Amino acid sequence: MTVITLTIDGRSVATASGATLLEAARAGGSAIPTLCHLEGLSPVAACRLCLVEIDGDSRLQPACVTAAAEGMVVRTTSPRLAELRRTVIELLFTEGNHVCAICVANGHCELQDLAVAVGMDHSRLPYRFPSRSVDLSHPLFGLDHNRCILCTRCVRVCAEVEGAHVWDVGWRGEHCRIISGLDQPWGAVDACTDCGKCVQVCPTGALFHKGDGTEEKEGHPEQLQVLVRARQQGGAP
Amino acid sequence: MSRLNVATVWLAGCSGCHMSFLDLDEWLLEFAELANVVYSPVASDTKVYPEGVDIALVEGGVANRDNLELILKVRARTRILVSFGDCAITANIPGMRNMLGGSEPVLRRAYLELADGSGALPQAPGLVPELLEQVLPVHQVVPVDVYLPGCPPSADRIRACLEPLLHGEWPVMEGAELIRFG
Ligand code: SF4
Ligand code: SF4
Ligand code: SF4
Ligand code: FES
């Protein structure tokens, strides 16, 4: 293993070559907010929350997919990044319909956590109030598109870990939404094994167990990580 | 220091934020030492919003003509306007009608489609305030000075916001204890 050294937030960090900036920063003690990223799933750099500044690069780069390189000088916080991250979170809140008070995930929601982290006490952008649907056709689970932030964790866990590939992303722009099967009701998709992994990794209240009431849904991404690590080591979990 | 004039205002909300205000229990006695309550649905009989208000806690979104007239008056006559609770800040529960797209489909849904045959649209100009097309967060209608999120904000959260204001200081609204929605 080759070790490389770079500077993150003024600290010298040594990391294995091939590590991402996110891995290097976390090892070096810098907390970068993330949302679409989930250890155990392939990275997609969809949410842009993890953007960082790199000396000599005029563009901001997403830390979750950018490889750490020898001698790089990286900043994970700055007024510009703080402003950008808050705007990203405001965009996510105003794009859909997030009524936290009556949400299954209220109090356990990664989007809510991030709103606190970026200091969002109100949105400076207007709310869109789009008309979106709820799919309750699956016997065990539900999908509320009002609360979906299109992070694609469900798409990836189902395809990469469960191997069922029930989910996909359909349409474009403001019509973009998560679809099951060939845009069928979830309950009509035979490929679904009812495993519930998508519900476990969903960061918001979009995917939920049908029995969940307000504040009762808690995601468990760590269960996925145990499974993925066990598979990599070739043993049973 | 002279006592400040404090108002509380009820727009399109469930009154839960006001109930949470009453949960301040014995601190309300201290509050009464520091402030004159000059207008409030729970602590005053005054019907007209007065001039010269120092601090106003505004609960609820702006949903109808009455709300709109009142909030314009509140802004013009108040030094520090606090957006009080999620309905004021995000439109929250009352704002869910916005997903139906406009006031007409909302009225049709409520008074005709869900009626048991004898439905009629409410018609009483000047008595029943007309709905606005959308329920709006307060800060989309007038400038807001302080945001106090929560559905409702807990009594502790209200105190953390109000106490500094009463002492002429600006509250620092950050961290999950103070600004988490829901
Ligand atoms: S998904 Fe999260 S942010 Fe959205 S309504 Fe539910 S608790 Fe609030
Ligand atoms: S329950 Fe399992 S198989 Fe079904 S969609 Fe979710 S992750 Fe895929
Ligand atoms: S349903 Fe949940 S996991 Fe899937 S894209 Fe939407 S927010 Fe992400
Ligand atoms: S976590 Fe890197 S782009 Fe979403």
Side-chain angles (χ1 to χ4, degrees):
Chain A
M1 177 178 85
T2 333
V3 170
I4 55 170
T5 309
L6 65 165
T7 307
I8 302 180
D9 295 333
R11 281 187 298 268
S12 180
V13 177
T15 185
S17 74
T20 63
L21 280 182
L22 181 64
E23 287 160 345
R26 285 188 173 164
S30 296
I32 301 178
T34 56
L35 192 46
C36 63
H37 173 85
L38 189 64
E39 190 196 325
L41 303 180
S42 62
V44 287
C47 73
R48 316 311 274 185
L49 260 184
C50 68
L51 290 175
V52 294
E53 297 174 352
I54 303 173
D55 268 11
D57 189 340
S58 60
R59 290 172 310 163
L60 301 169
Q61 299 293 350
C64 65
V65 290
T66 306
E70 180 68 35
M72 253 183 185
V73 178
V74 180
R75 271 173 313 280
T76 71
T77 54
S78 72
R80 177 186 181 203
L81 290 172
E83 169 58 31
L84 227 136
R85 287 174 186 151
R86 176 160 172 183
T87 305
V88 167
I89 296 297
E90 289 182 13
L91 282 165
L92 291 174
F93 268 94
T94 52
E95 182 192 35
N97 295 308
H98 293 273
V99 187
C100 296
I102 50 160
C103 180
V104 286
N106 190 16
H108 317 281
C109 170
E110 291 184 44
L111 184 59
Q112 268 187 334
D113 294 343
L114 284 161
V116 171
V118 301
M120 175 188 167
D121 58 3
H122 74 288
S123 171
R124 299 159 301 176
L125 303 166
Y127 287 83
R128 289 180 64 242
F129 302 111
S131 169
R132 292 189 183 174
S133 61
V134 180
D135 184 344
L136 294 174
S137 60
H138 192 284
L140 302 174
F141 315 120
L143 168 56
D144 183 348
H145 290 282
N146 293 287
R147 296 180 163 125
C148 173
I149 54 172
L150 297 168
C151 69
T152 73
R153 282 188 188 179
C154 55
V155 177
R156 286 172 285 151
V157 81
C158 190
E160 296 169 12
V161 182
E162 182 63 7
H165 210 316
V166 168
W167 301 106
D168 227 316
V169 181
W171 318 105
R172 287 291 176 270
E174 65 167 321
H175 304 292
C176 189
R177 63 184 160 78
I178 295 296
I179 56 173
S180 34
L182 297 167
D183 196 16
Q184 298 151 280
W186 188 358
V189 180
D190 290 340
C192 177
T193 64
D194 305 340
C195 73
K197 290 187 178 66
C198 51
V199 180
Q200 299 286 56
V201 299
C202 177
T204 70
L207 285 164
F208 55 90
H209 301 97
K210 276 192 168 169
D212 292 339
T214 302
E215 299 181 16
E216 286 179 353
K217 185 211 163 179
E218 291 188 55
H220 286 289
E222 72 286 353
Q223 295 179 351
L224 161 79
Q225 282 142 15
V226 170
L227 182 65
V228 170
R229 271 186 224 121
R231 281 190 188 170
Q232 282 162 350
Q233 288 155 10
Chain B
M1 206 169 118
S2 63
R3 290 153 67 96
L4 296 180
N5 291 337
V6 175
T8 78
V9 178
W10 184 11
L11 306 179
C14 72
S15 87
C17 293
H18 273 88
M19 296 304 119
S20 196
F21 180 80
L22 296 178
D23 281 342
L24 282 162
D25 298 336
E26 70 266 29
W27 188 73
L28 287 172
L29 299 175
E30 240 174 89
F31 170 72
E33 295 291 311
L34 295 165
N36 303 315
V37 179
V38 293
Y39 179 93
S40 169
V42 296
S44 156
D45 271 337
T46 312
K47 300 291 182 253
V48 179
Y49 195 84
E51 302 275 354
V53 176
D54 293 299
I55 303 166
L57 299 181
V58 179
E59 168 190 323
V62 182
N64 63 31
R65 244 171 225 296
D66 276 8
N67 296 158
L68 182 60
E69 269 169 39
L70 181 53
I71 195 64
L72 293 174
K73 202 175 282 175
V74 168
R75 180 64 284 184
R77 299 178 177 182
T78 312
R79 202 157 53 82
I80 301 170
L81 196 162
V82 181
S83 215
F84 178 30
D86 284 358
C87 291
I89 298 175
T90 74
N92 202 33
I93 312 279
M96 290 176 76
R97 80 152 157 95
N98 297 352
M99 301 166 202
L100 292 181
S103 61
E104 210 264 333
V106 172
L107 291 171
R108 240 192 303 120
R109 180 84 187 135
Y111 288 93
L112 301 181
E113 290 167 20
L114 296 177
D116 49 12
S118 59
L121 290 175
Q123 279 287 355
L127 282 178
V128 181
E130 286 158 58
L131 296 187
L132 303 179
E133 280 303 291
Q134 286 206 322
V135 183
L136 294 173
V138 171
H139 68 274
Q140 273 186 241
V141 182
V142 296
V144 163
D145 303 297
V146 180
Y147 297 89
L148 174 52
C151 183
S154 67
D156 288 343
R157 203 183 265 201
I158 298 171
R159 182 174 167 179
C161 176
L162 202 50
E163 207 166 22
L165 289 175
L166 290 171
H167 291 99
E169 288 153 27
W170 218 246
V172 181
M173 300 300 289
E174 50 184 44
E177 288 301 312
L178 293 187
I179 63 167
R180 196 187 185 94
F181 293 118

